Amino acid sequence: MGIEKLNPKDYNKLFLNGQYVAAKSKETYSLKNPKDNTAVIDDVPIAGPEDVDAAVKYAEEAFHGPWSKFTAIQRTECFLKLAALLDEELTPILTLDSQTSGIPISLAPVRERGYIRNCVLYYAGWTDKQKGDYFPDDDGYVKLVRHEPLGVCCAINPFNAPLATLFLKSAPALATGNVMIVKPSEKTPLGTLAAAQLFLKAGFPPGVLQVITGAGSTGALLAEHMKIRKVSFTGSVTTGRRVQIAAAKSNLKRVTLELGGKSPAVVFDDANLENAVTWTVNSILIRSGQLCVAPSRVYVQKGIAEKFIDAYKKKMSAAADNLGDPQDPNVTMGPMVDAAQLERVKGMVERGKSEAELVVGGNQRGDTGCFMEPTVFLNPKSDAEIYRNEIFGPVSVIKTFETEEEVLKLANDTEFGLMAGVFTKDINRALRMSSGMEAGVVGVNCVSLQNMQAPFGGKKQSGIGREMGEYALRLFTEPKTVLINMAA
Ligand code: NAD
């Protein structure tokens, strides 16, 4: 593999035990480029039980075999090599992935690279810091506590962040000595498959990181597998619930769920207007709104409402001009991931027209490909579908409010709890709001932001467990207590 363009047709295999191999299952499906619905690949395998069992067997062999003999520093060396390889190879991999994800390659050099590089380097530094604990023998027993890896883990990933989730899940898993089987979304498998060989080149032994492709049926085989000890899932609430049930019904494997959102951004009268407009607009448009932390509900205080809404509408309308070919390095906004997602968003927007006032967009852009215009609704009914449910498109809903107490209730009146933002110059109010808002992450004068050092995840039905930072490591290890009888 080199910097040259990667060919999608080379990635119609599974990556098992350090090799690209044909799947035993003969079931396949095809994928199109959402910019124009042209064929990209027509034989992506849907891994079946035999393929999943093979991946688990290789994973167990690696876990108990070569990988268990690596020192912490050797694991760090693999991560550092991986980061160096990514410097060379990430752009072509993201370009390959873009052909079915529609994620603009213009995001590759800074946003995607920064995120993935930070992730790999951050966890490179954690391999030798899993210190345990010691308690003295005041009662005749010395107590030692070790943090042990769980064993064979799997990642089931969503379509909207294929590469980011690959690294976000496998880096903490591998840093703590686990092995990982990754199933990318059926809509976006190519970049994950291409990236898998870099782990091998970086020195991770065969079987430590494997990739199998397939639909929900393949994900279900992983979630219910009796030898997999942990599933780290990112996707919708509905599927997350199924994964948790499958885990409970099989072997009680550990479960981390990173699920959907309907994130509120609250703009107070005293906010820096330009800053608030920039963050709220840019964040609903990244990946054309297919972002779990997108601020899809915007609350604006009455005193600033007219000015804010005017500026917000202008910026959203103007952004329609940014839509274009995601494989063009100058384009910043791409299509929906596929025709099904476009139809879903269009359907919600259509129904929304009778539940709120449509003030920007509302239509598919052009008739080639899966492009959706940036869309804004005002003053939704309190039970409107577009106000309550995750749309996962470039669509936001604005509502005005008068008091802090009122907006806190509105912001929290949802089963989602992933991200929230508060825009104000009043530090006391910012602190009150960030403590009152029921979200796993709250941005002050910013929104839809994550940081590798700090935990990320959802409250309420937006998830269980946390990724990023030291917290992710805890969820890939379990403490073991060793009691030593000093009298023997
Ligand atoms: P999805 O739930 O449709 O699919 C996610 C994955 O689950 C896919 O790999 C799919 O093949 C697999 N799957 C489907 N049925 C399964 C089953 N029965 N058992 C096991 N696996 C199964 O989600 P999606 O449409 O790919 O992604 C969009 C969703 O992901 C949105 O709700 C978004 O908010 C959420 N998301 C959350 C985060 C986060 O960090 N909280 C990040 C990105 C995306």
PDB file of all heavy atoms in Angstrom, residues 421-452:
ATOM      1  N   GLY A 421     -24.685  22.318  24.687  1.00  0.00           N
ATOM      2  CA  GLY A 421     -23.828  23.505  24.632  1.00  0.00           C
ATOM      3  C   GLY A 421     -24.538  24.674  25.275  1.00  0.00           C
ATOM      4  O   GLY A 421     -25.764  24.772  25.204  1.00  0.00           O
ATOM      5  N   VAL A 422     -23.769  25.535  25.946  1.00  0.00           N
ATOM      6  CA  VAL A 422     -24.359  26.754  26.508  1.00  0.00           C
ATOM      7  C   VAL A 422     -23.496  27.940  26.090  1.00  0.00           C
ATOM      8  O   VAL A 422     -22.269  27.887  26.183  1.00  0.00           O
ATOM      9  CB  VAL A 422     -24.534  26.643  28.053  1.00  0.00           C
ATOM     10  CG1 VAL A 422     -23.259  26.251  28.750  1.00  0.00           C
ATOM     11  CG2 VAL A 422     -25.058  27.949  28.623  1.00  0.00           C
ATOM     12  N   PHE A 423     -24.159  28.965  25.586  1.00  0.00           N
ATOM     13  CA  PHE A 423     -23.450  30.151  25.088  1.00  0.00           C
ATOM     14  C   PHE A 423     -23.841  31.342  25.949  1.00  0.00           C
ATOM     15  O   PHE A 423     -24.991  31.788  25.948  1.00  0.00           O
ATOM     16  CB  PHE A 423     -23.794  30.385  23.614  1.00  0.00           C
ATOM     17  CG  PHE A 423     -23.243  29.308  22.717  1.00  0.00           C
ATOM     18  CD1 PHE A 423     -23.936  28.120  22.534  1.00  0.00           C
ATOM     19  CD2 PHE A 423     -22.016  29.456  22.090  1.00  0.00           C
ATOM     20  CE1 PHE A 423     -23.423  27.111  21.726  1.00  0.00           C
ATOM     21  CE2 PHE A 423     -21.483  28.453  21.286  1.00  0.00           C
ATOM     22  CZ  PHE A 423     -22.194  27.277  21.103  1.00  0.00           C
ATOM     23  N   THR A 424     -22.896  31.850  26.714  1.00  0.00           N
ATOM     24  CA  THR A 424     -23.128  32.980  27.618  1.00  0.00           C
ATOM     25  C   THR A 424     -21.779  33.540  28.053  1.00  0.00           C
ATOM     26  O   THR A 424     -20.776  32.818  28.034  1.00  0.00           O
ATOM     27  CB  THR A 424     -23.928  32.529  28.867  1.00  0.00           C
ATOM     28  OG1 THR A 424     -24.065  33.638  29.748  1.00  0.00           O
ATOM     29  CG2 THR A 424     -23.235  31.406  29.622  1.00  0.00           C
ATOM     30  N   LYS A 425     -21.797  34.832  28.481  1.00  0.00           N
ATOM     31  CA  LYS A 425     -20.539  35.382  29.030  1.00  0.00           C
ATOM     32  C   LYS A 425     -20.549  35.318  30.548  1.00  0.00           C
ATOM     33  O   LYS A 425     -19.577  35.704  31.201  1.00  0.00           O
ATOM     34  CB  LYS A 425     -20.385  36.832  28.576  1.00  0.00           C
ATOM     35  CG  LYS A 425     -20.032  36.935  27.106  1.00  0.00           C
ATOM     36  CD  LYS A 425     -19.675  38.372  26.730  1.00  0.00           C
ATOM     37  CE  LYS A 425     -19.503  38.501  25.243  1.00  0.00           C
ATOM     38  NZ  LYS A 425     -20.241  39.632  24.690  1.00  0.00           N
ATOM     39  N   ASP A 426     -21.660  34.857  31.125  1.00  0.00           N
ATOM     40  CA  ASP A 426     -21.815  34.829  32.586  1.00  0.00           C
ATOM     41  C   ASP A 426     -21.300  33.476  33.109  1.00  0.00           C
ATOM     42  O   ASP A 426     -21.941  32.434  32.896  1.00  0.00           O
ATOM     43  CB  ASP A 426     -23.311  35.024  32.891  1.00  0.00           C
ATOM     44  CG  ASP A 426     -23.607  34.974  34.381  1.00  0.00           C
ATOM     45  OD1 ASP A 426     -22.772  34.457  35.147  1.00  0.00           O
ATOM     46  OD2 ASP A 426     -24.694  35.441  34.765  1.00  0.00           O
ATOM     47  N   ILE A 427     -20.164  33.510  33.777  1.00  0.00           N
ATOM     48  CA  ILE A 427     -19.526  32.262  34.203  1.00  0.00           C
ATOM     49  C   ILE A 427     -20.398  31.489  35.203  1.00  0.00           C
ATOM     50  O   ILE A 427     -20.462  30.260  35.174  1.00  0.00           O
ATOM     51  CB  ILE A 427     -18.096  32.526  34.770  1.00  0.00           C
ATOM     52  CG1 ILE A 427     -17.394  31.228  35.163  1.00  0.00           C
ATOM     53  CG2 ILE A 427     -18.122  33.462  35.955  1.00  0.00           C
ATOM     54  CD1 ILE A 427     -17.007  30.366  34.023  1.00  0.00           C
ATOM     55  N   ASN A 428     -21.101  32.238  36.061  1.00  0.00           N
ATOM     56  CA  ASN A 428     -21.954  31.534  37.033  1.00  0.00           C
ATOM     57  C   ASN A 428     -23.080  30.787  36.331  1.00  0.00           C
ATOM     58  O   ASN A 428     -23.399  29.652  36.657  1.00  0.00           O
ATOM     59  CB  ASN A 428     -22.535  32.521  38.053  1.00  0.00           C
ATOM     60  CG  ASN A 428     -21.441  33.071  38.935  1.00  0.00           C
ATOM     61  OD1 ASN A 428     -20.432  32.403  39.161  1.00  0.00           O
ATOM     62  ND2 ASN A 428     -21.606  34.291  39.408  1.00  0.00           N
ATOM     63  N   ARG A 429     -23.673  31.468  35.356  1.00  0.00           N
ATOM     64  CA  ARG A 429     -24.751  30.807  34.607  1.00  0.00           C
ATOM     65  C   ARG A 429     -24.198  29.614  33.825  1.00  0.00           C
ATOM     66  O   ARG A 429     -24.828  28.550  33.760  1.00  0.00           O
ATOM     67  CB  ARG A 429     -25.405  31.806  33.658  1.00  0.00           C
ATOM     68  CG  ARG A 429     -26.429  31.150  32.773  1.00  0.00           C
ATOM     69  CD  ARG A 429     -27.518  32.065  32.349  1.00  0.00           C
ATOM     70  NE  ARG A 429     -27.006  33.166  31.565  1.00  0.00           N
ATOM     71  CZ  ARG A 429     -27.677  34.284  31.314  1.00  0.00           C
ATOM     72  NH1 ARG A 429     -28.872  34.460  31.841  1.00  0.00           N
ATOM     73  NH2 ARG A 429     -27.166  35.224  30.585  1.00  0.00           N
ATOM     74  N   ALA A 430     -23.012  29.792  33.244  1.00  0.00           N
ATOM     75  CA  ALA A 430     -22.411  28.688  32.479  1.00  0.00           C
ATOM     76  C   ALA A 430     -22.214  27.475  33.389  1.00  0.00           C
ATOM     77  O   ALA A 430     -22.496  26.333  33.002  1.00  0.00           O
ATOM     78  CB  ALA A 430     -21.078  29.125  31.890  1.00  0.00           C
ATOM     79  N   LEU A 431     -21.765  27.734  34.609  1.00  0.00           N
ATOM     80  CA  LEU A 431     -21.532  26.609  35.531  1.00  0.00           C
ATOM     81  C   LEU A 431     -22.847  26.000  36.003  1.00  0.00           C
ATOM     82  O   LEU A 431     -22.962  24.781  36.116  1.00  0.00           O
ATOM     83  CB  LEU A 431     -20.684  27.066  36.726  1.00  0.00           C
ATOM     84  CG  LEU A 431     -19.230  27.370  36.355  1.00  0.00           C
ATOM     85  CD1 LEU A 431     -18.477  27.947  37.553  1.00  0.00           C
ATOM     86  CD2 LEU A 431     -18.514  26.123  35.847  1.00  0.00           C
ATOM     87  N   ARG A 432     -23.845  26.857  36.277  1.00  0.00           N
ATOM     88  CA  ARG A 432     -25.156  26.321  36.682  1.00  0.00           C
ATOM     89  C   ARG A 432     -25.738  25.459  35.565  1.00  0.00           C
ATOM     90  O   ARG A 432     -26.224  24.356  35.792  1.00  0.00           O
ATOM     91  CB  ARG A 432     -26.137  27.481  36.957  1.00  0.00           C
ATOM     92  CG  ARG A 432     -26.045  28.103  38.327  1.00  0.00           C
ATOM     93  CD  ARG A 432     -27.290  28.930  38.635  1.00  0.00           C
ATOM     94  NE  ARG A 432     -27.610  29.940  37.638  1.00  0.00           N
ATOM     95  CZ  ARG A 432     -27.097  31.184  37.602  1.00  0.00           C
ATOM     96  NH1 ARG A 432     -26.233  31.569  38.521  1.00  0.00           N
ATOM     97  NH2 ARG A 432     -27.460  32.041  36.658  1.00  0.00           N
ATOM     98  N   MET A 433     -25.676  25.963  34.349  1.00  0.00           N
ATOM     99  CA  MET A 433     -26.255  25.225  33.216  1.00  0.00           C
ATOM    100  C   MET A 433     -25.479  23.920  32.967  1.00  0.00           C
ATOM    101  O   MET A 433     -26.074  22.876  32.711  1.00  0.00           O
ATOM    102  CB  MET A 433     -26.216  26.076  31.950  1.00  0.00           C
ATOM    103  CG  MET A 433     -27.240  27.184  31.901  1.00  0.00           C
ATOM    104  SD  MET A 433     -28.950  26.598  31.828  1.00  0.00           S
ATOM    105  CE  MET A 433     -29.039  25.919  30.169  1.00  0.00           C
ATOM    106  N   SER A 434     -24.148  23.992  33.044  1.00  0.00           N
ATOM    107  CA  SER A 434     -23.388  22.776  32.738  1.00  0.00           C
ATOM    108  C   SER A 434     -23.609  21.728  33.813  1.00  0.00           C
ATOM    109  O   SER A 434     -23.519  20.526  33.541  1.00  0.00           O
ATOM    110  CB  SER A 434     -21.901  23.069  32.543  1.00  0.00           C
ATOM    111  OG  SER A 434     -21.388  23.730  33.649  1.00  0.00           O
ATOM    112  N   SER A 435     -23.956  22.174  35.010  1.00  0.00           N
ATOM    113  CA  SER A 435     -24.272  21.165  36.031  1.00  0.00           C
ATOM    114  C   SER A 435     -25.704  20.654  35.859  1.00  0.00           C
ATOM    115  O   SER A 435     -25.976  19.486  36.086  1.00  0.00           O
ATOM    116  CB  SER A 435     -23.974  21.768  37.405  1.00  0.00           C
ATOM    117  OG  SER A 435     -25.019  21.607  38.266  1.00  0.00           O
ATOM    118  N   GLY A 436     -26.614  21.519  35.403  1.00  0.00           N
ATOM    119  CA  GLY A 436     -28.023  21.110  35.278  1.00  0.00           C
ATOM    120  C   GLY A 436     -28.331  20.315  34.017  1.00  0.00           C
ATOM    121  O   GLY A 436     -29.285  19.532  33.996  1.00  0.00           O
ATOM    122  N   MET A 437     -27.553  20.486  32.967  1.00  0.00           N
ATOM    123  CA  MET A 437     -27.902  19.830  31.706  1.00  0.00           C
ATOM    124  C   MET A 437     -27.562  18.340  31.762  1.00  0.00           C
ATOM    125  O   MET A 437     -26.454  17.962  32.149  1.00  0.00           O
ATOM    126  CB  MET A 437     -27.205  20.525  30.536  1.00  0.00           C
ATOM    127  CG  MET A 437     -27.825  21.892  30.308  1.00  0.00           C
ATOM    128  SD  MET A 437     -27.732  22.466  28.608  1.00  0.00           S
ATOM    129  CE  MET A 437     -26.194  23.259  28.614  1.00  0.00           C
ATOM    130  N   GLU A 438     -28.534  17.540  31.369  1.00  0.00           N
ATOM    131  CA  GLU A 438     -28.375  16.078  31.457  1.00  0.00           C
ATOM    132  C   GLU A 438     -27.705  15.562  30.191  1.00  0.00           C
ATOM    133  O   GLU A 438     -28.355  15.092  29.262  1.00  0.00           O
ATOM    134  CB  GLU A 438     -29.750  15.432  31.649  1.00  0.00           C
ATOM    135  CG  GLU A 438     -30.361  15.799  32.993  1.00  0.00           C
ATOM    136  CD  GLU A 438     -31.846  15.482  33.112  1.00  0.00           C
ATOM    137  OE1 GLU A 438     -32.451  15.038  32.113  1.00  0.00           O
ATOM    138  OE2 GLU A 438     -32.391  15.698  34.203  1.00  0.00           O
ATOM    139  N   ALA A 439     -26.395  15.721  30.145  1.00  0.00           N
ATOM    140  CA  ALA A 439     -25.632  15.282  28.971  1.00  0.00           C
ATOM    141  C   ALA A 439     -24.267  14.790  29.443  1.00  0.00           C
ATOM    142  O   ALA A 439     -23.753  15.265  30.463  1.00  0.00           O
ATOM    143  CB  ALA A 439     -25.446  16.447  28.002  1.00  0.00           C
ATOM    144  N   GLY A 440     -23.696  13.864  28.687  1.00  0.00           N
ATOM    145  CA  GLY A 440     -22.380  13.337  29.035  1.00  0.00           C
ATOM    146  C   GLY A 440     -21.274  14.357  28.842  1.00  0.00           C
ATOM    147  O   GLY A 440     -20.236  14.309  29.505  1.00  0.00           O
ATOM    148  N   VAL A 441     -21.476  15.270  27.913  1.00  0.00           N
ATOM    149  CA  VAL A 441     -20.486  16.329  27.651  1.00  0.00           C
ATOM    150  C   VAL A 441     -21.236  17.648  27.474  1.00  0.00           C
ATOM    151  O   VAL A 441     -22.254  17.696  26.782  1.00  0.00           O
ATOM    152  CB  VAL A 441     -19.692  16.056  26.346  1.00  0.00           C
ATOM    153  CG1 VAL A 441     -18.609  17.115  26.150  1.00  0.00           C
ATOM    154  CG2 VAL A 441     -19.083  14.672  26.341  1.00  0.00           C
ATOM    155  N   VAL A 442     -20.752  18.701  28.131  1.00  0.00           N
ATOM    156  CA  VAL A 442     -21.349  20.028  27.962  1.00  0.00           C
ATOM    157  C   VAL A 442     -20.255  20.991  27.490  1.00  0.00           C
ATOM    158  O   VAL A 442     -19.188  21.074  28.100  1.00  0.00           O
ATOM    159  CB  VAL A 442     -21.947  20.560  29.285  1.00  0.00           C
ATOM    160  CG1 VAL A 442     -22.577  21.939  29.065  1.00  0.00           C
ATOM    161  CG2 VAL A 442     -22.982  19.594  29.846  1.00  0.00           C
ATOM    162  N   GLY A 443     -20.533  21.702  26.412  1.00  0.00           N
ATOM    163  CA  GLY A 443     -19.596  22.713  25.936  1.00  0.00           C
ATOM    164  C   GLY A 443     -20.036  24.085  26.412  1.00  0.00           C
ATOM    165  O   GLY A 443     -21.230  24.385  26.397  1.00  0.00           O
ATOM    166  N   VAL A 444     -19.102  24.896  26.853  1.00  0.00           N
ATOM    167  CA  VAL A 444     -19.414  26.281  27.210  1.00  0.00           C
ATOM    168  C   VAL A 444     -18.822  27.173  26.134  1.00  0.00           C
ATOM    169  O   VAL A 444     -17.610  27.136  25.887  1.00  0.00           O
ATOM    170  CB  VAL A 444     -18.843  26.630  28.604  1.00  0.00           C
ATOM    171  CG1 VAL A 444     -19.069  28.114  28.910  1.00  0.00           C
ATOM    172  CG2 VAL A 444     -19.482  25.762  29.670  1.00  0.00           C
ATOM    173  N   ASN A 445     -19.686  27.925  25.466  1.00  0.00           N
ATOM    174  CA  ASN A 445     -19.312  28.740  24.308  1.00  0.00           C
ATOM    175  C   ASN A 445     -18.690  27.900  23.186  1.00  0.00           C
ATOM    176  O   ASN A 445     -17.856  28.387  22.403  1.00  0.00           O
ATOM    177  CB  ASN A 445     -18.402  29.902  24.720  1.00  0.00           C
ATOM    178  CG  ASN A 445     -19.160  30.869  25.609  1.00  0.00           C
ATOM    179  OD1 ASN A 445     -20.337  31.153  25.356  1.00  0.00           O
ATOM    180  ND2 ASN A 445     -18.531  31.328  26.674  1.00  0.00           N
ATOM    181  N   CYS A 446     -19.075  26.645  23.158  1.00  0.00           N
ATOM    182  CA  CYS A 446     -18.714  25.726  22.078  1.00  0.00           C
ATOM    183  C   CYS A 446     -19.678  24.547  22.190  1.00  0.00           C
ATOM    184  O   CYS A 446     -20.395  24.429  23.176  1.00  0.00           O
ATOM    185  CB  CYS A 446     -17.261  25.244  22.200  1.00  0.00           C
ATOM    186  SG  CYS A 446     -16.891  24.382  23.732  1.00  0.00           S
ATOM    187  N   VAL A 447     -19.713  23.718  21.168  1.00  0.00           N
ATOM    188  CA  VAL A 447     -20.594  22.544  21.224  1.00  0.00           C
ATOM    189  C   VAL A 447     -20.071  21.507  20.244  1.00  0.00           C
ATOM    190  O   VAL A 447     -19.275  21.847  19.351  1.00  0.00           O
ATOM    191  CB  VAL A 447     -22.068  22.952  20.919  1.00  0.00           C
ATOM    192  CG1 VAL A 447     -22.271  23.338  19.454  1.00  0.00           C
ATOM    193  CG2 VAL A 447     -23.062  21.872  21.317  1.00  0.00           C
ATOM    194  N   SER A 448     -20.481  20.251  20.437  1.00  0.00           N
ATOM    195  CA  SER A 448     -20.094  19.161  19.518  1.00  0.00           C
ATOM    196  C   SER A 448     -18.586  18.957  19.470  1.00  0.00           C
ATOM    197  O   SER A 448     -18.014  18.758  18.407  1.00  0.00           O
ATOM    198  CB  SER A 448     -20.568  19.431  18.083  1.00  0.00           C
ATOM    199  OG  SER A 448     -21.903  19.767  18.100  1.00  0.00           O
ATOM    200  N   LEU A 449     -17.986  19.023  20.621  1.00  0.00           N
ATOM    201  CA  LEU A 449     -16.536  18.918  20.700  1.00  0.00           C
ATOM    202  C   LEU A 449     -16.194  17.721  21.576  1.00  0.00           C
ATOM    203  O   LEU A 449     -16.907  17.422  22.530  1.00  0.00           O
ATOM    204  CB  LEU A 449     -16.024  20.199  21.361  1.00  0.00           C
ATOM    205  CG  LEU A 449     -14.612  20.643  21.079  1.00  0.00           C
ATOM    206  CD1 LEU A 449     -14.403  20.868  19.595  1.00  0.00           C
ATOM    207  CD2 LEU A 449     -14.323  21.937  21.834  1.00  0.00           C
ATOM    208  N   GLN A 450     -15.113  17.050  21.212  1.00  0.00           N
ATOM    209  CA  GLN A 450     -14.641  15.946  22.056  1.00  0.00           C
ATOM    210  C   GLN A 450     -13.155  16.170  22.288  1.00  0.00           C
ATOM    211  O   GLN A 450     -12.512  16.846  21.490  1.00  0.00           O
ATOM    212  CB  GLN A 450     -14.806  14.611  21.327  1.00  0.00           C
ATOM    213  CG  GLN A 450     -16.233  14.284  20.978  1.00  0.00           C
ATOM    214  CD  GLN A 450     -16.302  13.188  19.922  1.00  0.00           C
ATOM    215  OE1 GLN A 450     -15.629  13.249  18.905  1.00  0.00           O
ATOM    216  NE2 GLN A 450     -17.115  12.192  20.159  1.00  0.00           N
ATOM    217  N   ASN A 451     -12.650  15.594  23.347  1.00  0.00           N
ATOM    218  CA  ASN A 451     -11.217  15.690  23.584  1.00  0.00           C
ATOM    219  C   ASN A 451     -10.712  14.337  24.047  1.00  0.00           C
ATOM    220  O   ASN A 451     -11.309  13.717  24.923  1.00  0.00           O
ATOM    221  CB  ASN A 451     -10.929  16.751  24.647  1.00  0.00           C
ATOM    222  CG  ASN A 451      -9.444  16.966  24.786  1.00  0.00           C
ATOM    223  OD1 ASN A 451      -8.720  16.105  25.270  1.00  0.00           O
ATOM    224  ND2 ASN A 451      -8.973  18.105  24.324  1.00  0.00           N
ATOM    225  N   MET A 452      -9.627  13.896  23.437  1.00  0.00           N
ATOM    226  CA  MET A 452      -9.127  12.551  23.695  1.00  0.00           C
ATOM    227  C   MET A 452      -8.817  12.300  25.170  1.00  0.00           C
ATOM    228  O   MET A 452      -8.880  11.178  25.647  1.00  0.00           O
ATOM    229  CB  MET A 452      -7.870  12.312  22.841  1.00  0.00           C
ATOM    230  CG  MET A 452      -7.593  10.872  22.519  1.00  0.00           C
ATOM    231  SD  MET A 452      -9.001   9.975  21.845  1.00  0.00           S
ATOM    232  CE  MET A 452      -9.182  10.712  20.225  1.00  0.00           C
TER     233      MET A 452
END
